[in-house]
Amino acid sequence: IYHGNFKAPLGSDVPELGRAALEYIKREVDLSAAIGGAPVIVHGGGIVEPRRVIEARRSGLSMLIKNVAELVEYARQQNVEIWLENLSNYTRFHPFYYVCVTEDEYAEVLESVPGLKFFFDVSHAHVNDGDPVKVFERLHGSMVGMSFSDNKGERDSHFPLGKGTLDYSGLVSCIKKHKWQGLVGFETRGSVLSESMAYLNRLGCET
């Protein structure tokens, strides 16, 4: 997997920046194709200090849909898949807003762009009272992979599993209910991978 630069603002509210980000990610697709065609993970990017937040985020989401649609077709011609990763929904104490950070926004982008796959970062979705289990229930059919870490709902802390407040028990139950299969990555800090694996095993997840 080629994890693209999450700072590239595919969902910018400034058209010139959005187009520049698209060209930048196309070069990442070219590189991925040259080394074997690994899927490229892309992100919505951010909007800096908007005065009209709702309007700017709506504009950014429209730009993201337009850019990702073109990117999926560009990548398809090189036998490369595009996977969209969600970012955290920060709403306070910062000068920026990420794009594509809520359940409805994920769904809108996925429904608008045929061929786009979803790489679901459950920790990002948990920030600011998000509900990763509810997102999984709704969108698991589009998910090709997930990223696991934990936090306490305030920021993307990358805690080991079980050290935050994310409902992994509920998520594991949903995964088993839908018999979902896909890639799972761990982005935890301050512990070894075996500790998070052991935590999942205690929840009844076969790892």
Side-chain angles (χ1 to χ4, degrees):
I1 295 173
Y2 187 121
H3 191 282
N5 188 344
F6 81 96
K7 295 180 181 180
L10 286 171
S12 177
D13 60 330
V14 180
E16 293 79 4
L17 292 180
R19 286 194 293 269
L22 176 62
E23 295 306 313
Y24 178 92
I25 300 296
K26 282 182 177 179
R27 292 200 298 271
E28 293 190 325
V29 170
D30 293 341
L31 177 57
S32 178
I35 60 176
V40 175
I41 294 178
V42 302
H43 312 77
I47 296 171
V48 180
E49 294 190 352
R51 294 188 177 183
R52 297 180 178 178
V53 174
I54 295 176
E55 181 180 323
R57 290 184 61 176
R58 182 68 245 172
S59 177
L61 193 68
S62 296
M63 174 63 74
L64 176 63
I65 291 170
K66 177 181 178 181
N67 277 342
V68 171
E70 182 173 336
L71 190 61
V72 166
E73 176 58 24
Y74 180 85
R76 185 191 65 78
Q77 296 175 18
Q78 302 191 60
N79 295 314
V80 172
E81 289 187 339
I82 299 298
W83 295 2
L84 176 68
E85 178 181 350
N86 54 302
L87 293 172
S88 300
N89 188 23
Y90 294 121
T91 59
R92 298 184 301 163
F93 310 124
H94 60 84
F96 67 91
Y97 291 84
Y98 285 137
V99 175
C100 196
V101 296
T102 68
E103 177 187 341
D104 286 342
E105 290 176 350
Y106 313 152
E108 182 176 350
V109 177
L110 291 166
E111 291 167 2
S112 299
V113 184
L116 178 64
K117 307 294 177 61
F118 192 23
F119 188 79
F120 182 42
D121 190 311
V122 299
S123 184
H124 289 173
H126 184 50
V127 171
N128 195 34
D129 299 320
D131 188 345
V133 178
K134 184 169 178 282
V135 173
F136 181 86
E137 280 280 8
R138 179 177 178 182
L139 299 174
H140 65 272
S142 298
M143 293 178 187
V144 289
M146 290 190 279
S147 177
F148 283 5
S149 63
D150 211 339
N151 65 61
K152 295 183 178 180
E154 298 173 349
R155 62 180 62 252
D156 183 28
S157 305
H158 292 274
F159 291 152
L161 273 57
K163 302 300 183 181
T165 58
L166 203 154
D167 181 14
Y168 272 103
S169 178
L171 182 61
V172 167
S173 294
C174 285
I175 290 172
K176 294 171 71 173
K177 180 178 73 172
H178 293 288
K179 298 180 180 180
W180 180 86
Q181 292 184 330
L183 178 72
V184 175
F186 291 79
E187 294 187 81
T188 56
R189 299 170 184 162
S191 72
V192 294
L193 176 59
S194 59
E195 293 178 9
S196 289
M197 299 289 282
Y199 176 80
L200 289 177
N201 283 329
R202 290 195 295 272
L203 295 179
C205 183
E206 296 179 2
T207 58

